[in-house]
Amino acid sequence: MEFTLEELYTKKEGQTYDRKSARKDPKGLSNHIVAFANADGGTLVIGIEDDFTVTGIDDYHNNVNDILRVPFDYCTPSVRVTTETVGCTDKNGNPNHLLVMTIPQSPELHANQQDEVYYRMGDKSKKLNFDERLQLMYAKGSRYYEDEPVYRSSMEDIDLDFVAEYCRKIGYPKSAGEYIRQNNGFVVNHNGREEMSGAAILLFGKNPQHFFKRARVRFIRYDGTEAKVGTEMNVIKDEIFEGRILDMVRSSLNFVRSQIKEHTKLGTDGLFHTTPEYPEFAWKEIIINSVAHRDYSIKGTDIQIKMFDDRITVESPGILPGIVRLNNLRTVHFSRNPNIARFLHEYDYVQEFGEGIDRMFNEMAAAGLPAPEYRDNAFMLNATIRNGVINETNGVINGAINIPVTEQAVLSAIRKNPGITKTELQKVTSLGKSTIDRAIKALKEKCLIERVGSNKTGYWKIINKGL
């Protein structure tokens, strides 16, 4: 048993734990068993009242027998529950027993006998409406949204020239039209009409955004370490990438690569060593995953790559799919869009099925950077990697002088024009005012530059001529 007897008495009801009286209608318990199975699994203890009073199960023999049949008779499909009887002392001081039911997290979608679907949310078992149920079906893979027909689409919406290029790449011997018609359910007969699947449009469509307006990637770069709005808005770049899946992946990766800084460090060996602020595999992994595994049934938002001075956060529509959870995502793999993932694998973007996240954690650790962070936010998944800026002290790391790209740009401009003003620095470097101020402050603290004379009539002096 996972919990001690004392914990069964006192543990607070929550996402994975609940307690019920043995007097409760067995059919009603099916809602809670289904809710746990559809979510993260959990423990249901029978024999404790809502007010924590221990009444046990010994006086409710017939009801308990019915409760034991609930996972099989009142859940569709059946839930494989394990049960255990635990000795206890009831409210009257008499020997009694509790029934402990352990409900596993299930890769399937379960309903009660009335075909109602429940999902555990905090300490409540919530009945899902139609749209929520459909999204849970997609998340669990009992139904793939990428296989759904796209309303009013047809073969005319498919770029057969691109399909032919793909066929040559994978060595498919037949024509492009035959590939679409004979593979992966790309053509769906719907109400007597031939329509394209979502995967067909997203992978091979002439204009996927005609059907999926927010199936795109948006890049936003902020000046600083937080997003500001209104008069303090600090967005310095805002780019949108559209097109087919391959177009979005290629263009977004190429653009982000151009934004990744390189840190030049003057080592104890007297030589400069340049490394990127993030391991390439790490930042590519969180972007590619967002495109490959986003929930395309959520049409009101796009994938957003947000770059700050100290981190990159990728926000992707959709909860973690299948049985993947925050505590097992390094070891458990589940593809929400298997056709899209398989396609990206052919282009070497998805290289290691089920191993990419674990490798990303290892590469961040090897670079001496904080571990990646994942967070569920309603129906959005946020993935964040940090560049370690917050761990730097006065620019000195392991005996080396750390010079980020922003500081290098300012230093280079000062070298070319010692009398350059801050306004001129902004024009030359394309950096924001606050970034310029931070760079100058950092260069001063590292004893690499100093100001000679007044702010208006003086000039900058580079202290280390070897820079």
Side-chain angles (χ1 to χ4, degrees):
M1 186 174 63
E2 182 180 355
F3 305 111
T4 65
L5 189 59
E6 181 65 24
E7 287 174 326
L8 294 181
Y9 293 157
T10 61
K11 184 174 174 60
K12 185 178 180 181
E13 293 179 350
Q15 182 71 23
T16 59
Y17 183 79
D18 206 348
R19 60 173 65 87
K20 298 296 176 185
S21 169
R23 296 178 287 105
K24 186 170 179 66
D25 176 17
K27 292 182 182 179
L29 286 177
S30 65
N31 300 341
H32 303 290
I33 293 173
V34 161
F36 279 128
N38 284 335
D40 301 325
T43 300
L44 182 60
V45 180
I46 308 300
I48 305 178
E49 308 295 319
D50 290 340
D51 62 0
F52 297 92
T53 301
V54 179
T55 51
I57 62 174
D58 290 358
D59 294 334
Y60 308 97
H61 181 73
N62 291 335
N63 217 35
V64 169
N65 284 338
D66 291 339
I67 290 173
L68 290 171
R69 296 203 309 271
V70 168
F72 308 98
D73 294 347
Y74 299 106
C75 299
T76 307
S78 298
V79 179
R80 295 184 177 183
V81 172
T82 58
T83 60
E84 183 179 357
T85 302
V86 181
C88 70
T89 301
D90 64 25
K91 64 178 183 177
N92 298 318
N94 299 321
N96 211 314
H97 293 86
L98 301 174
L99 176 64
V100 180
M101 307 179 74
T102 302
I103 301 105
Q105 180 190 51
S106 175
E108 299 180 276
L109 181 127
H110 297 268
N112 62 20
Q113 271 204 328
Q114 288 72 45
D115 196 36
E116 297 168 331
V117 174
Y118 284 79
Y119 190 85
R120 192 72 177 179
M121 294 184 178
D123 61 355
K124 304 295 182 184
S125 295
K126 180 182 183 298
K127 182 180 175 181
L128 301 186
N129 61 34
F130 176 80
D131 289 336
E132 292 169 333
R133 176 175 180 161
L134 198 59
Q135 287 192 346
L136 184 60
M137 290 175 68
Y138 295 143
K140 284 183 171 288
S142 55
R143 185 169 174 177
Y144 292 112
Y145 182 75
E146 66 169 18
D147 292 335
E148 298 290 322
V150 177
Y151 182 59
R152 289 190 174 179
S153 65
S154 70
M155 187 66 79
E156 291 296 316
D157 296 300
I158 301 299
D159 186 340
L160 291 177
D161 289 337
F162 179 70
V163 177
E165 176 187 320
Y166 177 70
C167 289
R168 288 191 294 272
K169 180 175 182 60
I170 65 174
Y172 186 79
K174 300 180 182 179
S175 69
E178 289 174 302
Y179 176 79
I180 291 295
R181 291 187 179 281
Q182 297 176 12
N183 290 274
N184 302 317
F186 287 141
V187 177
V188 184
N189 291 313
H190 182 241
N191 295 331
R193 173 184 168 84
E194 185 178 87
E195 294 178 327
M196 301 297 104
S197 72
I201 294 296
L202 290 165
L203 294 175
F204 304 110
K206 294 176 181 176
N207 180 14
Q209 282 70 38
H210 175 71
F211 300 98
F212 300 92
K213 297 187 184 299
R214 302 295 292 272
R216 61 188 192 183
V217 177
R218 181 181 179 189
F219 174 90
I220 308 171
R221 180 158 190 172
Y222 297 91
D223 182 21
T225 58
E226 60 180 310
K228 298 179 181 179
V229 296
T231 57
E232 295 184 331
M233 181 176 288
N234 57 335
V235 174
I236 55 177
K237 287 188 183 295
D238 193 339
E239 302 285 339
I240 291 177
F241 308 104
E242 297 183 331
R244 292 184 287 266
I245 291 289
L246 187 61
D247 300 326
M248 289 191 293
V249 169
R250 284 175 169 170
S251 55
S252 59
L253 291 182
N254 286 338
F255 188 84
V256 172
R257 180 180 286 108
S258 72
Q259 301 300 304
I260 298 292
K261 304 173 186 176
E262 290 185 336
H263 289 182
T264 299
K265 299 176 182 178
L266 181 61
T268 55
D269 57 2
L271 300 176
F272 283 104
H273 303 274
T274 300
T275 57
E277 61 179 327
Y278 305 99
E280 181 170 336
F281 184 88
W283 62 263
K284 288 175 66 175
E285 177 73 7
I286 59 174
I287 294 171
I288 293 168
N289 276 351
S290 70
V291 177
H293 302 302
R294 76 157 280 179
D295 189 340
Y296 287 95
S297 72
I298 299 176
K299 298 183 177 181
T301 187
D302 40 29
I303 295 169
Q304 295 195 4
I305 305 170
K306 297 181 177 181
M307 178 178 279
F308 299 85
D309 287 357
D310 64 339
R311 68 192 185 278
I312 298 175
T313 294
V314 178
E315 300 177 355
S316 180
I319 61 175
L320 287 165
I323 60 173
V324 180
R325 293 294 183 268
L326 295 177
N327 63 355
N328 67 10
L329 52 76
R330 292 185 67 173
T331 56
V332 176
H333 173 74
F334 186 96
S335 180
R336 177 183 275 116
N337 308 301
N339 285 328
I340 293 174
R342 190 179 306 113
F343 174 90
L344 290 174
H345 178 69
E346 296 290 350
Y347 280 90
D348 296 326
Y349 286 111
V350 175
Q351 298 178 358
E352 302 169 352
F353 284 110
E355 299 178 5
I357 290 181
D358 188 52
R359 177 179 166 184
M360 177 176 60
F361 272 80
N362 292 334
E363 294 219 0
M364 290 291 286
L369 298 174
E373 303 164 21
Y374 283 84
R375 181 168 58 90
D376 269 324
N377 182 14
F379 281 91
M380 296 289 286
L381 178 67
N382 296 354
T384 298
I385 55 175
R386 299 183 182 274
N387 59 19
V389 166
I390 60 174
N391 297 322
E392 296 175 7
T393 304
N394 293 331
V396 180
I397 303 177
N398 296 330
I401 299 176
N402 179 59
I403 311 176
V405 167
T406 51
E407 295 171 26
Q408 292 182 49
V410 171
L411 198 59
S412 176
I414 289 174
R415 183 186 296 110
K416 294 177 181 178
N417 179 13
I420 194 168
T421 66
K422 289 185 179 180
T423 300
E424 291 169 338
L425 277 171
Q426 292 180 56
K427 294 179 181 179
V428 171
T429 63
S430 299
L431 298 174
K433 180 180 181 298
S434 59
T435 301
I436 295 288
D437 289 340
R438 285 194 299 272
I440 290 175
K441 180 181 178 182
L443 291 170
K444 285 181 176 179
E445 290 175 347
K446 295 170 186 176
C447 297
L448 297 178
I449 62 172
E450 65 178 2
R451 185 70 179 176
V452 178
S454 69
N455 289 334
K456 289 186 177 181
T457 61
Y459 63 93
W460 295 104
K461 177 181 178 183
I462 296 178
I463 299 173
N464 189 332
K465 296 294 186 180
L467 295 176

